[in-house]
Amino acid sequence: MEHIRVHDKTFVPFLTANQISDRVAAMAAQISKDYQGKRPLLLAVLNGSFMFAADLFRLLTIEAEISFIKIASYQGMRSSGKVVTAIGMEQDLSGRAIILLEDIVDTGKTLHHFIPTLQQQHPASIAIATFLHKPEATVFPLSLDYVGFSIPNRFVVGYGLDYDGLGRNHYQVYQLAAEPTIES
Ligand code: XMP
Ligand code: MG
């Protein structure tokens, strides 16, 4: 594996395709065990999670459903500010065991604000499965039930994750290369 260029930046190899597939398989095994007989509904958050979702989902050994959502936030009518909603949630979620699938949890803002919207539909349970987590960056309280890899607070691309639209189409995950330091 060599470094890659995405737009104006250089990225270096970080997680190999084998590391990723082993870890995703382990997550799928754990979810299959935990959700036996519960017929969970996986809600994959677009765009970044599509690759993780496809790989994880096909490795589940239990009955499960999947649906794809896009989280959108807009300024609400009231002074309470941002309303976080999702496009693609036509299904009835009441009584369902929901597993949200994310590519990466960074500050935690997106999911922290979206979960109350989900709760309004009275699902039986809500769990979060994220491929990557940046613990140093997470400031919004969230309980993450399944984490693929905890990674340093550095920008990554590949395996569905993008830098300004590009870089999603790699089996590997790449990390932003350190800026060259100027020797004094
Ligand atoms: P929050 O802060 O809401 O952010 O947890 C989650 C969203 O931020 C994007 N994000 C990244 N995307 N490489 C990416 O390609 C990264 O290193 C990265 N960090 C955050 C991403 O869209 C995620 O859903
Ligand atoms: Mg995302």
Side-chain angles (χ1 to χ4, degrees), residues 117-132:
T117 309
L118 267 187
Q119 278 165 339
Q120 284 171 10
Q121 297 205 38
H122 307 291
S125 60
I126 302 171
I128 300 171
T130 187
F131 171 55
L132 300 176

Side-chain angles (χ1 to χ4, degrees), residues 33-41 62-64 95-97 125:
K33 199 172 149 214
D34 296 347
Y35 284 84
Q36 180 74 52
K38 294 184 178 166
R39 198 179 288 182
L41 170 60
I62 54 167
E63 278 194 336
R96 299 299 306 265
S125 60

Side-chain angles (χ1 to χ4, degrees), residues 44-177:
V45 181
L46 293 172
N47 293 326
S49 77
F50 77 99
M51 229 177 255
F52 169 56
D55 286 348
L56 181 88
F57 191 67
R58 83 185 97 191
L59 289 167
L60 294 180
T61 56
I62 54 167
E63 278 194 336
E65 293 175 42
I66 190 165
S67 194
F68 293 83
I69 62 172
K70 196 146 189 173
I71 293 179
S73 64
Y74 58 90
Q75 206 66 38
M77 299 288 281
R78 301 221 192 111
S79 55
S80 53
K82 282 256 178 79
V83 176
V84 177
T85 181
I87 299 158
M89 288 211 310
E90 289 86 21
Q91 260 142 311
D92 181 8
L93 305 187
S94 65
R96 299 299 306 265
I98 304 297
I99 307 176
L100 283 167
L101 301 183
E102 258 288 20
D103 53 349
I104 186 162
V105 171
D106 187 304
T107 65
K109 189 178 177 188
T110 311
L111 291 186
H112 176 81
H113 288 299
F114 176 59
I115 283 176
T117 309
L118 267 187
Q119 278 165 339
Q120 284 171 10
Q121 297 205 38
H122 307 291
S125 60
I126 302 171
I128 300 171
T130 187
F131 171 55
L132 300 176
H133 179 214
K134 290 178 175 172
E136 293 158 34
T138 307
V139 289
F140 290 85
L142 267 188
S143 87
L144 302 178
D145 304 271
Y146 305 94
V147 175
F149 298 91
S150 287
I151 66 167
N153 191 8
R154 183 180 282 265
F155 201 79
V156 291
V157 296
Y159 197 65
L161 291 124
D162 71 302
Y163 165 41
D164 218 357
L166 295 181
R168 296 190 197 274
N169 53 323
H170 294 279
Y171 279 102
Q172 305 86 348
V173 168
Y174 293 83
Q175 187 179 63
L176 185 63

